[in-house]
Amino acid sequence: MIMSGELVTSTKKTRISIMKSKDEALQKFLAFGVLIMLCILFGVLTGGSFLKIDNLLTIALQVTPYAILGFGLTFVLITGGTDLSAGSVIGFGGIVCAKAVTMGVSIPVAIIIGILAGIIAGLINGLFVTKLSVTPFIATLGTQFAFRGLTQLVGQGKPVSIQALGDEKIISVFRFIGGGTVFGRVPFPTIIMIITAIVLGIVLSKTGFGRRLYAVGSNEETARLSGINVIKTKLTAYIICGATASMAGILLAARLASAQSNAGQGYELEGIAAAVIGGTSVMGGEGGILGTVIGAFVMGVLRNGLNLLKVDAFVQMVIIGTIIVIGVWYDTARRKRQSI
Amino acid sequence: MAELLKMCGISKSFPGVKALSNVSLTLNAGEVHALCGENGAGKSTLMKILSGVYQADEGEIFINGEKVTIENTKKAQQLGISIIFQEFNLCPHLSVANNIWLDRQPKKGLFIDDKKLIEQTLAILDDLGLSISPKALVRTLSVAEQQMVEIAKAISFNSRILVLDEPTAALTESEIDRLFNIIHKLKTKGVGMIYISHRLEELARIADRVSVIRDGQYIGTYNYKDVTIDKLVSMMVGRELNNKFPSHRRKIGRVLFEARNIRSNKLNVHNIQVRSGEIVGIAGLMGAGRTELARAIFGADKTYHKEIFIDGKPVNINSTTSAIKNGIGYITEDRKKDGLALNMTVERNINMAYIPSICKKGFVDENAAKENAAKYINNLRIKTPSMYQKMQNLSGGNQQKTVLAKWLCNDVKVLIFDEPTRGIDVGAKYEIYELMNRLSDNGVAIIMISSDLPEILGMSDRILVMHNGMISGELNREDATQEKILRYAAGLSNEEGKGA
């Protein structure tokens, strides 16, 4: 065989420095620094009550659905896309799971059906974006309505209550999934969130799929001409996003032992905000799971701290919105500096 | 001739680098002054100082004998300095007229006076002898026409000093002729032009004087008729380069690649054969279908019909993935657009087409990835501080070598080069040619698309010329001349051109 590889001689002499990009580390460090500073600030302002373990665990529980959704959105954002339907998929996954339980399906199977519903929703989004080349913003804006409509249809406009089944055993299992504690006081959903973060973090940083995903997001045509199956890669990203959304939906429904048909409304924007604060670029090609965890906690800590300080809810919205814009502005400015 | 511009003793440092050191340049009215130097020599920095983007650390600038300070681009414009960059600064969705008079449109009350706007625009276009409609949207124009609009815009500012940065890089031969006509017109009007180009051959047609800078140092200024291209090149690279193309003794083997009956809405190609170790050049005008042919072979674009044979065996190439599996590689025309991911690291770019080979059960073996990247950085002498450097921080030549590395690690048997040396400097060009020869020594079949005729003539064993989606002529290395190629490229037969 012809070997162009013969061009290459010994590699032992190579002395290429393997310094990882300092800038990337700085970005993570900065978001983390902001999180720590917020915690200290609120700790001082609330006279220490913010820093009580119980309060911190409450924050962890509150942050969980946003963070899990944010992980899936991180994948989609890295491809340079977006998923505005993710909030609707939360409602859809939750209500499908609850409906299955009320129809007598066993709990593990019902959960799998719920997640499958999210996967199918993600697949539909992905097909619109890849095969039909609809702009992600428009495609998922449309499916946002469609999936919310389907959610309402499944529940016939009403919540699907597991509680109404009257089966104490099933109710207590769901209550545990949605808000139970393990190792003393750690919320079970938070454990799920941490496991999901680890699994998806590994997928993103250690697998061939992860590499392809970044390549597609950085320059789609280059990726395609390098033999990367762009359609498959993007489809997978949307499917992962659908799956995480339905997971978040099942956790929300489980906490109340009832699936609300309007559950998850507006969550997609919270998820995107978490990812972006954590350094994921809406232009694609950059981002990571750890950043999204930090971003979700920045949002959660702000909300909780401002609540403890009895800041008016409307003022809170103004503050959080401002922080998102400042975060993105800083990130854009950093990128600009870099490209000079 | 009156001296329009004088830059004296200009120095400029950036953190860690001295970009310019004591560089001087003068420009007379009605003169074309070529500025030569390798990539990174400091040409762009000097021009950015002239246009007010950067401030010089030392040195003085005189315009019409008066000392000036150019603190920003607006000031440069007021002083009559215009720069036409390689990437145009036009609004694609606005008309030609609105682009030329952007933000300066004549007003009637609150509204734009369209009639006057069109009149003003026509006056300028006519003056330059351009037949572009003032109402045409810029995005509908060809690259050459857009460039003319840029020049018209500069004229509308009454610019006396015009800087043209690689103006011919994306133009065809006939478009270059038109551009040069306009340059001659501007000369007679007394406009002074600083002309930057890597295509030294074309300077003979327009340049009056030439200045060379190397590594930020001023080397000298000469009357163009007193220097030869070889002399220029040796001043630019600081050593004698006797040959622009490395010599080669090819071992041409069996037919390794064959394509038959490639048909798409732009192509109708009957047969192409490339032997192992052979370099087949594909010449032709822009739009003749050369890039389309490469993309069809590589499975990047759909075709109605095609038959590809590797080593005599028919293979089915319906995607880029299957092309790579069958040992075909494609180095694209525009590395920034579709050859590299600029915001990713060198390592990730080298390994981009190699992911299946560095994966074990779906997981990337980081050590294998690192080793592979290091191997090619070393072997192709890619200059980068680290393999984790972002691609965008590398020079053009090193970027091109990275693209090459991407294909070499896949053990390609057939490699398609599309404009392999566009926008890279003389020294790096030579290195790319050497690499092509090394590949051919190793038995790789090479298809080289190029608009650079000396390159086609200097590197190819055989030359195919394309016209209108078809192969219009085939020439052996020995019989090929620029004239014959151009005749085929224009769709003419070479019968009457015989003996020329």
Side-chain angles (χ1 to χ4, degrees), chain A residues 2-9 11 14 16-17 19 206-208 211 218-219 221-222 224-227 338, chain B residues 295 298 300 320-321 324 337-338 340 343-344 347 353 362 364 374-375 379 388 390 406-408 411-412 442:
Chain A
I2 291 144
M3 302 291 282
S4 53
E6 278 168 24
L7 277 182
V8 167
T9 53
T11 62
T14 324
I16 309 282
S17 104
M19 227 171 41
K206 304 275 181 223
T207 65
R211 262 184 190 246
S218 291
N219 189 334
E221 190 59 11
T222 299
R224 194 167 78 92
L225 293 178
S226 301
Q338 218 176 57
Chain B
R295 290 178 61 96
F298 192 60
T320 54
T321 319
I324 293 168
K337 194 174 117 239
D338 50 22
L340 294 166
N343 59 354
M344 291 181 83
E347 182 264 313
V364 174
K375 182 162 106 176
N379 213 268
Y388 298 111
K390 289 206 171 166
K406 180 165 84 178
W407 297 114
L408 296 189
D411 278 352
V412 284
N442 284 317

Side-chain angles (χ1 to χ4, degrees), chain B residues 87-138:
Chain B
E87 279 96 26
F88 302 138
N89 294 308
L90 295 172
C91 308
H93 299 284
L94 292 183
S95 69
V96 170
N98 276 307
N99 265 291
I100 293 179
W101 300 99
L102 192 67
D103 216 21
R104 301 176 293 150
Q105 291 100 334
K107 296 269 171 61
K108 209 191 254 169
L110 276 177
F111 301 98
I112 290 172
D113 183 348
D114 270 318
K115 214 175 134 201
K116 191 153 175 233
L117 176 67
I118 300 292
E119 273 169 22
Q120 281 179 343
T121 311
L122 271 176
I124 288 185
L125 294 177
D126 286 347
D127 204 25
L128 290 172
L130 296 174
S131 57
I132 304 171
S133 160
K135 289 182 186 164
L137 296 184
V138 162

Side-chain angles (χ1 to χ4, degrees), chain A:
Chain A
M1 272 289 99
I2 291 144
M3 302 291 282
S4 53
E6 278 168 24
L7 277 182
V8 167
T9 53
S10 153
T11 62
K12 280 176 191 153
K13 282 176 265 167
T14 324
R15 275 195 213 113
I16 309 282
S17 104
I18 47 166
M19 227 171 41
K20 278 271 180 193
S21 162
K22 269 186 207 155
D23 208 75
E24 236 164 79
L26 185 73
Q27 167 69 24
K28 277 198 185 110
F29 179 76
L30 252 166
F32 191 66
V34 167
L35 181 61
I36 299 295
M37 266 164 46
L38 280 174
C39 287
I40 293 170
L41 182 73
F42 284 129
V44 172
L45 290 178
T46 59
S49 60
F50 172 84
L51 290 175
K52 288 206 174 102
I53 292 292
D54 274 335
N55 188 50
L56 294 179
L57 290 172
T58 307
I59 295 175
L61 180 62
Q62 283 166 348
V63 154
T64 294
Y66 299 124
I68 292 180
L69 178 65
F71 301 155
L73 280 164
T74 302
F75 279 75
V76 170
L77 290 171
I78 288 173
T79 69
T82 191
D83 185 356
L84 297 180
S85 75
S88 296
V89 178
I90 286 185
F92 188 54
I95 215 156
V96 166
C97 172
K99 189 77 184 175
V101 172
T102 59
M103 286 164 72
V105 176
S106 74
I107 294 174
V109 176
I111 289 175
I112 290 171
I113 291 176
I115 292 176
L116 265 177
I119 287 175
I120 292 170
L123 179 69
I124 292 172
N125 282 331
L127 287 174
F128 272 121
V129 170
T130 54
K131 292 280 182 189
L132 304 181
S133 317
V134 183
T135 322
F137 186 94
I138 302 298
T140 58
L141 182 66
T143 55
Q144 180 186 67
F145 288 105
F147 295 144
R148 183 60 66 190
L150 279 177
T151 309
Q152 303 278 12
L153 277 175
V154 172
Q156 316 231 285
K158 294 185 299 256
V160 173
S161 175
I162 295 165
Q163 205 139 22
L165 277 177
D167 187 329
E168 279 307 321
K169 210 176 140 211
I170 294 179
I171 295 170
S172 66
V173 170
F174 266 94
R175 283 262 153 86
F176 172 76
I177 293 172
T181 53
V182 286
F183 310 127
R185 289 178 292 183
V186 183
F188 179 71
T190 304
I191 301 288
I192 298 283
M193 186 259 279
I194 292 168
I195 293 171
T196 314
I198 292 172
V199 171
L200 292 182
I202 288 173
V203 168
L204 207 48
S205 60
K206 304 275 181 223
T207 65
F209 165 70
R211 262 184 190 246
R212 291 188 186 98
L213 195 75
Y214 284 106
V216 167
S218 291
N219 189 334
E220 191 170 321
E221 190 59 11
T222 299
R224 194 167 78 92
L225 293 178
S226 301
I228 291 173
N229 188 334
V230 172
I231 290 181
K232 196 169 124 192
T233 308
K234 281 185 161 183
L235 267 180
T236 312
Y238 281 92
I239 286 171
I240 289 173
C241 189
T244 58
S246 57
M247 271 175 70
I250 293 166
L251 290 175
L252 279 175
R255 194 187 309 172
L256 303 170
S258 166
Q260 312 291 315
S261 54
N262 62 353
Q265 240 162 20
Y267 277 42
E268 65 278 350
L269 299 181
E270 298 253 356
I272 292 172
V276 168
I277 291 174
T280 297
S281 163
V282 285
M283 307 300 288
E286 280 180 65
I289 296 296
L290 183 59
T292 304
V293 173
I294 294 169
F297 269 92
V298 167
M299 303 266 292
V301 161
L302 267 174
R303 196 160 280 148
N304 177 280
L306 293 171
N307 268 334
L308 288 182
L309 294 173
K310 306 216 163 35
V311 174
D312 182 89
F314 301 134
V315 176
Q316 282 190 27
M317 286 168 78
V318 174
I319 293 176
I320 291 174
T322 310
I323 285 180
I324 293 173
V325 176
I326 291 176
V328 176
W329 164 76
Y330 172 79
D331 194 44
T332 315
R334 176 184 66 93
R335 253 175 258 276
K336 244 189 192 162
R337 263 204 317 280
Q338 218 176 57
S339 64
I340 284 177

